[in-house]
PDB file of all heavy atoms in Angstrom:
ATOM      1  N   ARG A  53     -38.582 -44.150  -1.677  1.00 92.00           N
ATOM      2  CA  ARG A  53     -39.671 -43.566  -2.558  1.00 92.00           C
ATOM      3  C   ARG A  53     -40.511 -44.616  -3.195  1.00 92.00           C
ATOM      4  O   ARG A  53     -40.031 -45.533  -3.669  1.00 92.00           O
ATOM      5  CB  ARG A  53     -39.164 -42.709  -3.737  1.00 92.00           C
ATOM      6  CG  ARG A  53     -38.288 -41.461  -3.268  1.00 92.00           C
ATOM      7  CD  ARG A  53     -39.036 -40.191  -2.796  1.00 92.00           C
ATOM      8  NE  ARG A  53     -39.920 -39.636  -3.827  1.00 92.00           N
ATOM      9  CZ  ARG A  53     -39.601 -38.510  -4.430  1.00 92.00           C
ATOM     10  NH1 ARG A  53     -38.572 -37.867  -4.260  1.00 92.00           N
ATOM     11  NH2 ARG A  53     -40.559 -37.949  -5.147  1.00 92.00           N
ATOM     12  N   ALA A  54     -41.785 -44.522  -3.076  1.00 93.00           N
ATOM     13  CA  ALA A  54     -42.689 -45.590  -3.670  1.00 93.00           C
ATOM     14  C   ALA A  54     -42.645 -45.380  -5.097  1.00 93.00           C
ATOM     15  O   ALA A  54     -42.492 -44.304  -5.636  1.00 93.00           O
ATOM     16  CB  ALA A  54     -44.114 -45.314  -3.109  1.00 93.00           C
ATOM     17  N   LEU A  55     -42.931 -46.466  -5.909  1.00 96.00           N
ATOM     18  CA  LEU A  55     -42.929 -46.429  -7.345  1.00 96.00           C
ATOM     19  C   LEU A  55     -43.916 -45.416  -7.938  1.00 96.00           C
ATOM     20  O   LEU A  55     -43.585 -44.681  -8.797  1.00 96.00           O
ATOM     21  CB  LEU A  55     -43.256 -47.985  -7.748  1.00 96.00           C
ATOM     22  CG  LEU A  55     -42.812 -48.347  -9.259  1.00 96.00           C
ATOM     23  CD1 LEU A  55     -41.442 -47.982  -9.609  1.00 96.00           C
ATOM     24  CD2 LEU A  55     -43.105 -49.763  -9.378  1.00 96.00           C
ATOM     25  N   SER A  56     -45.107 -45.373  -7.208  1.00 96.00           N
ATOM     26  CA  SER A  56     -46.151 -44.503  -7.632  1.00 96.00           C
ATOM     27  C   SER A  56     -45.770 -43.060  -7.525  1.00 96.00           C
ATOM     28  O   SER A  56     -46.046 -42.144  -8.211  1.00 96.00           O
ATOM     29  CB  SER A  56     -47.465 -44.810  -6.904  1.00 96.00           C
ATOM     30  OG  SER A  56     -47.198 -44.613  -5.663  1.00 96.00           O
ATOM     31  N   ASP A  57     -44.879 -42.803  -6.462  1.00 94.00           N
ATOM     32  CA  ASP A  57     -44.446 -41.443  -6.153  1.00 94.00           C
ATOM     33  C   ASP A  57     -43.471 -41.016  -7.227  1.00 94.00           C
ATOM     34  O   ASP A  57     -43.592 -39.846  -7.595  1.00 94.00           O
ATOM     35  CB  ASP A  57     -43.918 -41.400  -4.728  1.00 94.00           C
ATOM     36  CG  ASP A  57     -43.355 -40.123  -4.220  1.00 94.00           C
ATOM     37  OD1 ASP A  57     -43.988 -39.107  -4.662  1.00 94.00           O
ATOM     38  OD2 ASP A  57     -42.444 -40.107  -3.446  1.00 94.00           O
ATOM     39  N   LEU A  58     -42.622 -41.992  -7.681  1.00 97.00           N
ATOM     40  CA  LEU A  58     -41.672 -41.620  -8.644  1.00 97.00           C
ATOM     41  C   LEU A  58     -42.362 -41.243  -9.931  1.00 97.00           C
ATOM     42  O   LEU A  58     -41.875 -40.380 -10.596  1.00 97.00           O
ATOM     43  CB  LEU A  58     -40.646 -42.759  -8.824  1.00 97.00           C
ATOM     44  CG  LEU A  58     -39.707 -43.039  -7.666  1.00 97.00           C
ATOM     45  CD1 LEU A  58     -38.728 -44.117  -7.977  1.00 97.00           C
ATOM     46  CD2 LEU A  58     -38.931 -41.807  -7.333  1.00 97.00           C
ATOM     47  N   TYR A  59     -43.349 -42.011 -10.332  1.00 98.00           N
ATOM     48  CA  TYR A  59     -43.999 -41.628 -11.560  1.00 98.00           C
ATOM     49  C   TYR A  59     -44.608 -40.281 -11.455  1.00 98.00           C
ATOM     50  O   TYR A  59     -44.510 -39.489 -12.311  1.00 98.00           O
ATOM     51  CB  TYR A  59     -45.107 -42.628 -11.904  1.00 98.00           C
ATOM     52  CG  TYR A  59     -44.596 -43.930 -12.487  1.00 98.00           C
ATOM     53  CD1 TYR A  59     -44.640 -45.088 -11.766  1.00 98.00           C
ATOM     54  CD2 TYR A  59     -43.935 -43.954 -13.760  1.00 98.00           C
ATOM     55  CE1 TYR A  59     -44.157 -46.347 -12.277  1.00 98.00           C
ATOM     56  CE2 TYR A  59     -43.508 -45.205 -14.250  1.00 98.00           C
ATOM     57  CZ  TYR A  59     -43.613 -46.275 -13.491  1.00 98.00           C
ATOM     58  OH  TYR A  59     -42.965 -47.483 -14.070  1.00 98.00           O
ATOM     59  N   GLU A  60     -45.277 -39.936 -10.342  1.00 96.00           N
ATOM     60  CA  GLU A  60     -46.061 -38.682 -10.018  1.00 96.00           C
ATOM     61  C   GLU A  60     -45.021 -37.616 -10.156  1.00 96.00           C
ATOM     62  O   GLU A  60     -45.337 -36.547 -10.664  1.00 96.00           O
ATOM     63  CB  GLU A  60     -46.679 -38.657  -8.621  1.00 96.00           C
ATOM     64  CG  GLU A  60     -48.082 -39.395  -8.651  1.00 96.00           C
ATOM     65  CD  GLU A  60     -48.562 -39.530  -7.269  1.00 96.00           C
ATOM     66  OE1 GLU A  60     -48.398 -38.677  -6.447  1.00 96.00           O
ATOM     67  OE2 GLU A  60     -49.350 -40.490  -7.039  1.00 96.00           O
ATOM     68  N   CYS A  61     -43.740 -37.714  -9.646  1.00 96.00           N
ATOM     69  CA  CYS A  61     -42.858 -36.692  -9.664  1.00 96.00           C
ATOM     70  C   CYS A  61     -41.792 -36.706 -10.635  1.00 96.00           C
ATOM     71  O   CYS A  61     -40.773 -36.045 -10.575  1.00 96.00           O
ATOM     72  CB  CYS A  61     -42.158 -36.660  -8.172  1.00 96.00           C
ATOM     73  SG  CYS A  61     -43.288 -36.399  -6.798  1.00 96.00           S
ATOM     74  N   LEU A  62     -42.020 -37.478 -11.651  1.00 98.00           N
ATOM     75  CA  LEU A  62     -40.945 -37.798 -12.689  1.00 98.00           C
ATOM     76  C   LEU A  62     -40.329 -36.594 -13.271  1.00 98.00           C
ATOM     77  O   LEU A  62     -39.217 -36.609 -13.605  1.00 98.00           O
ATOM     78  CB  LEU A  62     -41.578 -38.841 -13.711  1.00 98.00           C
ATOM     79  CG  LEU A  62     -40.580 -39.384 -14.681  1.00 98.00           C
ATOM     80  CD1 LEU A  62     -39.387 -40.154 -13.882  1.00 98.00           C
ATOM     81  CD2 LEU A  62     -41.206 -40.215 -15.623  1.00 98.00           C
ATOM     82  N   ARG A  63     -41.219 -35.553 -13.557  1.00 97.00           N
ATOM     83  CA  ARG A  63     -40.745 -34.417 -14.191  1.00 97.00           C
ATOM     84  C   ARG A  63     -39.752 -33.575 -13.304  1.00 97.00           C
ATOM     85  O   ARG A  63     -38.999 -32.742 -13.752  1.00 97.00           O
ATOM     86  CB  ARG A  63     -41.869 -33.522 -14.507  1.00 97.00           C
ATOM     87  CG  ARG A  63     -42.591 -34.063 -15.814  1.00 97.00           C
ATOM     88  CD  ARG A  63     -43.777 -33.218 -16.005  1.00 97.00           C
ATOM     89  NE  ARG A  63     -44.641 -33.816 -17.092  1.00 97.00           N
ATOM     90  CZ  ARG A  63     -44.987 -33.184 -18.170  1.00 97.00           C
ATOM     91  NH1 ARG A  63     -44.534 -31.977 -18.537  1.00 97.00           N
ATOM     92  NH2 ARG A  63     -45.727 -33.717 -19.048  1.00 97.00           N
ATOM     93  N   ASP A  64     -39.692 -33.939 -12.026  1.00 98.00           N
ATOM     94  CA  ASP A  64     -38.595 -33.243 -11.201  1.00 98.00           C
ATOM     95  C   ASP A  64     -37.190 -34.047 -11.475  1.00 98.00           C
ATOM     96  O   ASP A  64     -36.243 -33.337 -11.086  1.00 98.00           O
ATOM     97  CB  ASP A  64     -38.899 -33.546  -9.752  1.00 98.00           C
ATOM     98  CG  ASP A  64     -40.077 -32.741  -9.175  1.00 98.00           C
ATOM     99  OD1 ASP A  64     -40.620 -31.884  -9.909  1.00 98.00           O
ATOM    100  OD2 ASP A  64     -40.543 -32.992  -8.098  1.00 98.00           O
TER     101      ASP A  64
END
Side-chain angles (χ1 to χ4, degrees):
R53 299 278 300 253
L55 202 48
S56 57
D57 184 27
L58 291 181
Y59 284 113
E60 278 172 32
C61 300
L62 189 58
R63 286 173 187 240
D64 286 352

